[in-house]
């Protein structure tokens, strides 16, 4: 496809970059930045490279300024190394590798990525959910690593990506837009996942070769599961929640995406394995033999006989061994007339056989750790990192001593951690206590909670420490800490929501009781 540039047309065979790079084939156009994506041949080093050509008029001051910003970002990214991003080899600008007569404002040169074109891949059919999750994982890892180093990758255009021979997605044409943000990279991960699952692009500025994702009258993108029913609910929700700005429960970090992708991919692979095993139907032969992928065995009646015979043999063996043991005991004891009670040498040294006719005393359970009187927190608040909501005005109901009142989470459409990592209550004590147990009176069952200690009232989640965990039943549940924990701030952190009588995902806590070590 020939594209008019300031100094001629961009077409296979043309040489750019001071006569060094010969264009071979075009792989896309990012219209938002007038960036043309080409495979080219490096005439000096005799190797193929990926070129991002920034086309424009050098006399256009604004276009030149934006191009400089893109080139600066690309040059900064040249120091970044990750398998999910093609390495930037060179950055050419006006007066430094690019002449004004070429009709270019700059060139980003990157190593060539072998593999398949992403657009061609999804044009055939949507990708299987487990495979899609694994494909996006490598890209999400690259984003996570880049963001930790303060870099924006700029992968929010499908023609900039390629599928490597080992099945991972890679940013093949680096060159982030001047205004691109970290959030844009995260949204792009959701859009790429959406594309793999549906064959549609859900962000503005996509290529004409890919249909746009449909939107509801409210403006929200239609979930992938509504288009392809075989898409798991968790994966469908992940794509939509990552793409959308604002709203409750949105996903904002690549780390959160990675956690969900890993869980969904493993669950989907297990499901496919179970299905594959279930499809290995046995074929009955005329002689009663049932053939499977393992060795053939006879019919059910014969297997029952075999099992019965093995059981009889085991019982007989046990009886013989027991009789032999008794004979050995009698041999060693002889006809001793000792006045003391006979000892059962077959028993452990800690066990004494009671005199005949007497029942052994009941086994004694180890004593439960002693706890002191309950201590009431001086303050309680909703702990909701990165979000708002979940009835903050009713948090005090969980420690007011009245089981009639309660605090409960919002109702969620998806289970944690698809929408967010969790939610909970943070309690503050007037003075540090040596906490041993927490009793939780819940209105509904099914929730999973962690008891976390903290050094301050509003810590980040990764600044807290898990000191106990458990499942909640409807009614009172006791969670014993791994060991008594000294502290002034503790968090009841809900990692899995329960269900109410209408099947809604919600956790309702009626009363919390904090018991220190005695």
């Amino acid at each position: 496809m020939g594209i008019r540039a300031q100094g001629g047309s961009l077409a296979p065979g043309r040489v750019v970059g001071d006569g060094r790079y010969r264009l071979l084939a075009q792989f896309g156009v990012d219209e938002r930045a007038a960036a043309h994506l080409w495979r080219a041949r490096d005439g000096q080093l005799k190797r193929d490279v990926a070129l991002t050509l920034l086309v424009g008029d050098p006399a256009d001051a604004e276009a030149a300024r934006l191009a400089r910003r893109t080139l600066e970002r690309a040059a900064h990214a040249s120091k970044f190394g990750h398998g999910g991003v093609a390495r930037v080899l060179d950055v050419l600008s006006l007066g430094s590798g690019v002449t004004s007569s070429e009709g270019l404002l700059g060139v980003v040169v990157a190593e060539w990525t072998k593999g398949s074109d992403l657009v061609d891949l999804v044009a055939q059919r949507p990708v299987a959910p487990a495979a899609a999750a694994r494909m996006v994982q490598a890209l999400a890892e690259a984003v996570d690593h880049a963001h930790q180093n303060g870099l924006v990758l700029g992968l929010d255009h499908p023609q900039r990506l390629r599928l490597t021979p080992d099945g991972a997605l890679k940013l093949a044409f680096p060159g982030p837009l001047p205004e691109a943000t970290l959030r844009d990279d995260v949204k792009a991960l959701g859009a790429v996942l959406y594309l793999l699952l549906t064959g549609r692009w859900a962000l503005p500025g996509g290529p004409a070769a890919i249909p746009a994702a449909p939107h509801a009258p409210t403006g929200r993108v239609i979930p992938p599961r509504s288009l392809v029913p075989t898409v798991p609910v968790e994966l469908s929700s992940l794509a939509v929640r990552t793409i959308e700005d604002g709203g409750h429960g949105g996903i904002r970090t690549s780390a959160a995406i990675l956690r969900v992708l890993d869980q969904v991919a493993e669950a989907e692979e297990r499901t496919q394995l179970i299905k594959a095993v279930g499809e290995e139907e046995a074929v009955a032969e005329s002689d009663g033999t049932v053939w499977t992928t393992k060795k053939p065995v006879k019919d059910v009646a014969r297997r029952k006989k075999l099992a019965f015979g093995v059981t009889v043999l085991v019982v007989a063996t046990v009886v013989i061994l027991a009789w032999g043991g008794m004979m050995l005991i009698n041999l060693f004891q002889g006809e001793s007339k000792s006045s003391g009670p006979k000892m059962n040498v077959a028993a452990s040294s800690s066990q004494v056989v009671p005199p005949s006719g007497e029942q052994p005393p009941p086994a004694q359970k180890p004593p439960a750790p002693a706890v002191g009187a309950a201590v009431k927190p001086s303050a309680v608040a909703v702990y909701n990192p990165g979000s708002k909501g979940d009835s903050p005005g009713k948090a005090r109901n969980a420690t007011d001593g009245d089981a009639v009142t309660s605090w409960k989470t919002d109702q969620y459409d998806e289970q944690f951690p698809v929408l967010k990592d969790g939610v909970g209550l943070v309690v503050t004590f007037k003075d540090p206590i040596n906490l041993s147990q927490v009793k939780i009176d819940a209105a509904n069952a099914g929730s999973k909670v962690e008891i976390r200690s903290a050094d301050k009232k509003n810590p980040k989640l990764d600044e807290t420490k898990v000191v106990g965990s458990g499942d909640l039943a409807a009614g009172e549940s006791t969670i014993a800490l791994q060991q008594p924990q000294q502290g002034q701030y503790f968090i009841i952190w809900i990692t899995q929501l329960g269900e109410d009588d209408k099947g809604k995902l919600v956790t309702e806590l009626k009363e919390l009781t904090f018991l220190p070590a005695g």
Side-chain angles (χ1 to χ4, degrees):
M1 178 171 62
I3 299 174
R4 290 296 302 173
Q6 191 67 18
S9 64
L10 293 178
R14 182 182 169 184
V15 179
V16 299
D18 267 349
R20 179 171 177 173
Y21 302 103
R22 182 175 299 278
L23 302 183
L24 299 178
Q26 186 177 6
F27 281 82
V29 180
D30 188 346
E31 298 285 0
R32 303 168 303 168
H36 299 257
L37 314 174
W38 282 80
R39 181 178 184 176
R41 185 70 174 175
D42 184 338
Q44 291 185 12
L45 299 181
K46 308 301 181 184
R47 63 182 178 183
D48 286 359
V49 293
L51 299 185
T52 301
L53 306 176
L54 303 180
V55 177
D57 184 355
D60 186 338
E62 179 62 13
R65 182 188 70 80
L66 295 175
R68 283 195 301 272
R69 176 58 177 154
T70 295
L71 296 174
E72 288 171 358
R73 287 186 141 189
H76 192 39
S78 65
K79 303 174 184 178
F80 174 71
H82 191 280
V85 181
R87 184 165 57 94
V88 175
L89 304 174
D90 201 0
V91 176
L92 311 178
S93 58
L94 280 172
S96 179
V98 175
T99 61
S100 57
S101 62
E102 290 184 286
L104 302 175
L105 301 176
V107 180
V108 179
V109 185
E111 63 183 357
W112 177 247
T113 300
K114 295 180 180 179
S116 307
D117 186 54
L118 178 59
V119 175
D120 291 342
L121 174 69
V122 299
Q124 300 174 11
R125 62 182 177 275
V127 177
R134 292 302 185 197
M135 287 180 188
V136 177
Q137 267 184 320
L139 206 58
E141 288 171 359
V143 171
D144 191 50
H145 189 54
H147 288 188
Q148 291 177 18
N149 290 274
L151 295 175
V152 176
L153 294 183
L155 43 80
D156 53 345
H157 193 282
Q159 289 178 328
R160 290 182 179 267
L161 305 174
R162 289 178 62 77
L163 184 67
T164 64
D166 58 358
L169 288 178
K170 187 171 185 176
L171 178 59
F173 296 94
L177 300 183
E179 69 279 9
T181 64
L182 299 177
R183 171 67 184 137
D184 291 327
D185 277 348
V186 175
K187 290 173 66 175
L189 292 174
V192 171
L193 179 60
Y194 194 105
L195 175 65
L196 293 173
L197 296 172
T198 68
R200 298 168 181 263
W201 186 247
L203 292 178
I210 299 179
H215 288 72
T218 59
R220 296 187 63 186
V221 65
I222 299 296
R225 186 175 172 84
S226 298
L227 304 176
V228 183
T230 55
V231 174
V233 174
E234 296 83 0
L235 214 55
S236 178
S237 178
L238 174 64
V240 172
R241 296 288 181 177
T242 304
I243 293 168
E244 292 180 339
D245 285 316
H248 181 69
I251 294 178
R252 298 289 178 268
T253 66
S254 52
I257 294 173
L258 278 170
R259 285 196 297 271
V260 179
L261 283 176
D262 190 56
Q263 294 171 3
V264 171
E266 289 184 3
E268 187 67 14
E269 286 168 357
R270 285 196 300 270
T271 300
Q272 295 303 321
L273 179 61
I274 292 172
K275 288 181 178 179
V277 172
E279 289 170 357
E280 294 176 352
E281 297 178 352
V283 179
E285 298 289 348
S286 58
D287 64 352
T289 300
V290 177
W291 292 93
T292 68
T293 54
K294 298 181 180 180
K295 293 182 179 180
V297 297
K298 293 297 180 178
D299 58 20
V300 175
R302 293 188 60 186
R303 280 180 289 176
K304 286 183 178 179
K305 291 179 182 179
L306 178 60
F308 177 75
V310 172
T311 302
V312 170
L313 179 60
V314 171
V315 171
T317 303
V318 171
V319 170
I320 292 171
L321 290 176
W323 177 82
M326 291 299 297
M327 293 298 293
L328 285 174
I329 293 171
N330 290 334
L331 176 63
F332 282 109
Q333 287 182 339
E335 297 296 329
S336 174
K337 297 182 180 181
S338 170
S339 59
K342 292 184 179 181
M343 300 296 294
N344 184 356
V345 296
S348 68
S349 60
S350 62
Q351 294 176 330
V352 178
V353 177
S356 178
E358 295 185 14
Q359 294 297 324
Q364 298 294 320
K365 295 182 179 180
V371 295
V375 181
K376 186 175 181 178
S378 59
V380 59
V382 172
Y383 182 69
N384 211 354
S387 303
K388 296 181 180 179
D390 292 276
S391 308
K394 295 185 177 180
R396 62 182 179 274
N397 291 347
T399 60
D400 62 358
D402 185 357
V404 175
T405 62
S406 65
W407 169 82
K408 65 180 178 180
T409 67
D410 292 343
Q411 288 185 352
Y412 290 84
D413 296 327
E414 306 291 347
Q415 186 59 268
F416 296 156
V418 174
L419 303 182
K420 59 182 181 181
D421 292 332
V423 66
L425 296 173
V426 55
V427 296
T428 304
F429 293 93
K430 183 178 180 181
D431 298 303
I433 68 170
N434 194 24
L435 186 63
S436 175
Q437 295 180 8
V438 178
K439 291 186 177 181
I440 302 177
D441 188 1
N444 58 325
S447 300
K448 294 182 182 293
V449 299
E450 295 174 345
I451 310 300
R452 289 175 170 260
S453 63
D455 295 328
K456 53 187 177 182
K457 183 178 180 180
N458 294 308
K460 295 179 180 179
L461 186 61
D462 58 9
E463 295 175 339
T464 66
K465 181 176 71 172
V466 178
V467 295
S469 62
D471 299 343
L472 300 186
E476 189 174 273
S477 303
T478 299
I479 299 178
L481 274 58
Q482 299 158 4
Q483 60 183 27
Q485 182 71 32
Q486 188 79 16
Q488 190 173 2
Y489 305 97
F490 291 94
I491 297 169
I492 311 302
W493 180 243
I494 301 167
T495 60
Q496 176 178 300
L497 297 161
E499 289 190 6
D500 62 13
D501 53 4
K502 297 180 180 178
K504 300 293 185 180
L505 293 174
V506 62
T507 295
E508 183 175 359
L509 306 181
K510 297 193 290 184
E511 199 64 31
L512 302 175
T513 305
F514 298 87
L515 301 171

